[in-house]
Amino acid sequence: MTQSRSLSKWKARHAVLVWIGILLNFAFVLPLIFCPEWILGLFGISVNQLIWPRFAGLLLGILSIFYIPATLDIDRYRVFAWLAVFPSRTLGTVFFFLAVFVYDQPLGYLAGVFLDGSVGIATLFCLLRILRLEQNIAEGETGMRRVFWKWLLAVLVLLVVGAFALFFLLFRPVAQPKTNDLAEVFNHGSIGNEEAQGIPYWIWRVLPQLFPEHLPANADGYGAFGLYWRAGDEVPVGLSVKTLGVIGRVAPNCAFCHQGSYRLRADEPARLVEAGPGTRVNPQAYIRFLIDVGADPRFTADRVMAEIGKVYDMPVWEWALYRFVLVPATRAALQEQGGRFAWMKDRPDWGPGRIDPFNPVKFQNLRLADDHTIGNSDMMPLWSLAGLATTNTRRFSLHWDGLQTDLYETVVSGAIGDGMTYKSYGGSEEGLRRIMDFIRLQGPPPSPFSPLRPAGDPYHVDAAAVDAGRGIYIAQCAVCHDAKGPRYRTPISIVELGTDRHRLDMWTPAARDRYAAYEPSYAWSFTNFQKTDGYVATGLGGLWLRGPYLHNGSVPTLRALLLAPAERPGQFYRGYDLVDAENAGFVSMPDTPGERYGTLYDTSRPGNGNGGHLWGTDLPPEAKEQLLSYLKTL
């Protein structure tokens, strides 16, 4: 083959490549102009104003037209040939690469890197080859030159193929299967935190078997953390499994903290309470387990793969991916998590049923300095929130201290706190809205306490006592806790309330201002964060399932809540799920099964104070019993 014939072939190849690039561009141009939501949704990208993607599609189409002359006559229109590479494909590749890896834009923008990068590299190679052949026609060509260009082509092809493989194997988000079951979405739906918090499924699966000594004492597997695991489910309630690339990753979701369980009798199985108060779950123990595992020198690829092999016969390609990539990456990520949560060592333990919800956000997301505040508080139920829309006359408050007044902003900011970024927000927004729909409508289970139960049944309450107690409730409690009460869902001043103020002081004006302007380059549109001076008067639906009581769970039963603070128990045990039929709450006192299965709670520890909330404490004994009878039925 003469060099002239070779030159003609390379020019023809260049024309084909440019046309392929034009057609690939128009595969984006037309959808961007006519159905931008659809095409952006395929790549997990969310945009508030669709005029801009439509405009981008129009510009891309116009730019693509300028490539055409080089396909018709590359000698005459050489400048158009170079335009297709410099600046077009080159700047496009750099722009999308920086958008993802420097400015934390969604991973879907990597499609631009792969499209512009692969077409640009191939087109550049053709141009350089054409130039070399044109030069060699005059100067001659050596075998060494041919070898160099072949190796260069091979390297470029490997780089492009490797980049595509990396994205499609490890980072390409795959939507979870669609379901109309909103409870399933709440219990196992993704909140977009798999890239930041997700653990490859098979590694997650074998960690308790590999490191049982790092689990809480007297516990077995992931049940050690109080999570409810339904028969047939892939993971416990509160964990999602979502595929990134080809690997399923396990990450916590809203239900991790907002799930409850109870038993009415010691010999019956526990019952799941969806969106309920997380009275048994222990997120701090789960975090510490993962940190300890990451720091354990026995966390090696050989041990992990041997344990996985006992339960799953992996294909060779998946085995290699786990063995050489995922196990080392997971170990490094867990070790990094240990540094992020080092601040916990200086605070009292959370214990089961509690969490410090916003200090992790302050220190990790908002980059605020450690102010040594303590935010330990109970995990609230998420029941019947449909009536909390802001009206012209009232702004209902959410969270214990009312730091938010908008339900959707609360859901989104909670997902951010658990690891969602705006790279994954576009693919998670629909799921977050469905979670919000669920908690707007889901209510507590009916109380087992009823006058209709036979006398002698532990859950029987006297009808006359319930009626009398209802009158006391209306007179003394409804102003704050009834949905029609003027103080309902509003913060009650800490001076008036008198309860432990540590959780209130944890949320600072600086945190409010920083979160309101969180990642300003992306339109989160947070406008409802606030700083209050007290705790919110919440509704009392499902009160029998909410023990221990007060925002920090410092009073074990409703009966104890009606005592003067000095008479309330100073120590009890949390985390047992047997309902205390006599006192309302859960069995929790010393010398009961609550001591055996629970965790000690000491009210003398910082953040654990059981003072305040004096309403009802001055009632005569008979009135207290009547009010207690009514409260049990809520």
Side-chain angles (χ1 to χ4, degrees), residues 248-283:
R249 299 199 193 187
V250 181
N253 69 358
C254 302
F256 192 104
C257 294
H258 301 287
Q259 62 172 284
S261 64
Y262 71 94
R263 290 174 300 133
L264 298 180
R265 292 172 176 79
D267 59 352
E268 70 178 18
R271 309 182 197 186
L272 172 66
V273 182
E274 289 163 327
T279 53
R280 295 189 62 241
V281 295
N282 196 334

Side-chain angles (χ1 to χ4, degrees), residues 162-501:
F164 271 105
L166 184 65
F167 176 71
F168 281 97
L169 286 175
L170 297 177
F171 296 109
R172 178 178 56 91
V174 178
Q176 290 180 303
K178 291 284 188 180
T179 176
N180 294 322
D181 186 349
L182 291 183
E184 181 68 13
V185 174
F186 181 82
N187 290 333
H188 293 299
S190 167
I191 60 173
N193 60 346
E194 287 77 20
E195 184 184 354
Q197 300 283 347
I199 299 175
Y201 174 77
W202 289 109
I203 297 176
W204 175 88
R205 172 79 176 271
V206 302
L207 290 183
Q209 289 73 48
L210 285 170
F211 303 103
E213 64 277 9
H214 295 315
L215 293 169
N218 302 319
D220 180 30
Y222 287 109
F225 309 111
L227 299 171
Y228 191 97
W229 201 329
R230 298 179 303 187
D233 280 0
E234 192 174 19
V235 291
V237 170
L239 293 169
S240 69
V241 180
K242 183 175 180 178
T243 299
L244 294 184
V246 295
I247 301 299
R249 299 199 193 187
V250 181
N253 69 358
C254 302
F256 192 104
C257 294
H258 301 287
Q259 62 172 284
S261 64
Y262 71 94
R263 290 174 300 133
L264 298 180
R265 292 172 176 79
D267 59 352
E268 70 178 18
R271 309 182 197 186
L272 172 66
V273 182
E274 289 163 327
T279 53
R280 295 189 62 241
V281 295
N282 196 334
Q284 187 176 47
Y286 183 70
I287 292 169
R288 284 176 169 165
F289 170 70
L290 296 179
I291 291 172
D292 291 342
V293 165
D296 195 312
R298 298 172 301 151
F299 187 177
T300 64
D302 289 339
R303 289 192 75 231
V304 173
M305 298 311 298
E307 192 66 29
I308 292 174
K310 296 177 182 179
V311 293
Y312 175 46
D313 185 16
M314 280 188 172
V316 173
W317 66 267
E318 190 176 6
W319 181 93
L321 195 59
Y322 265 87
R323 172 64 177 79
F324 297 108
V325 179
L326 296 176
V327 173
T330 300
R331 182 174 60 242
L334 296 182
Q335 291 171 352
E336 181 185 354
Q337 179 168 283
R340 293 200 309 270
F341 282 94
W343 59 271
M344 292 193 307
K345 298 175 182 178
D346 300 328
R347 271 83 165 177
D349 286 353
W350 305 347
R354 301 206 308 166
I355 191 172
D356 188 332
F358 280 97
N359 265 330
V361 176
K362 283 163 54 181
F363 306 148
Q364 297 171 29
N365 298 75
L366 306 183
R367 310 293 184 186
L368 293 172
D370 187 349
D371 54 9
H372 305 288
T373 55
I374 298 170
N376 297 357
S377 51
D378 272 24
M379 290 171 283
M380 306 178 77
L382 303 179
W383 289 327
S384 307
L385 300 179
L388 299 186
T390 299
T391 68
N392 293 331
T393 57
R394 301 187 65 176
R395 296 182 73 202
F396 293 107
S397 296
L398 299 158
H399 293 287
W400 284 116
D401 62 342
L403 64 85
Q404 256 286 352
T405 59
D406 181 85
L407 183 57
Y408 184 65
E409 287 189 27
T410 299
V411 171
V412 172
S413 59
I416 291 172
D418 285 333
M420 183 191 75
T421 67
Y422 55 69
K423 287 195 291 184
S424 58
Y425 175 61
S428 306
E429 184 176 7
E430 180 184 357
L432 294 178
R433 292 193 180 277
R434 298 185 77 197
I435 287 173
M436 184 179 70
D437 289 341
F438 179 73
I439 61 179
R440 289 176 66 250
L441 301 175
Q442 177 73 4
S447 172
F449 294 95
S450 171
L452 300 179
R453 286 183 175 267
D457 186 293
Y459 296 96
H460 170 81
V461 287
D462 181 74
V466 170
D467 287 340
R470 182 183 296 109
I472 298 171
Y473 168 83
I474 293 172
Q476 295 210 17
C477 310
V479 65
C480 291
H481 295 293
D482 188 85
K484 297 180 180 179
R487 306 183 83 184
Y488 175 71
R489 281 282 175 182
T490 61
I492 309 302
S493 168
I494 189 66
V495 175
E496 179 183 1
L497 191 57
T499 53
D500 190 298
R501 66 174 299 133

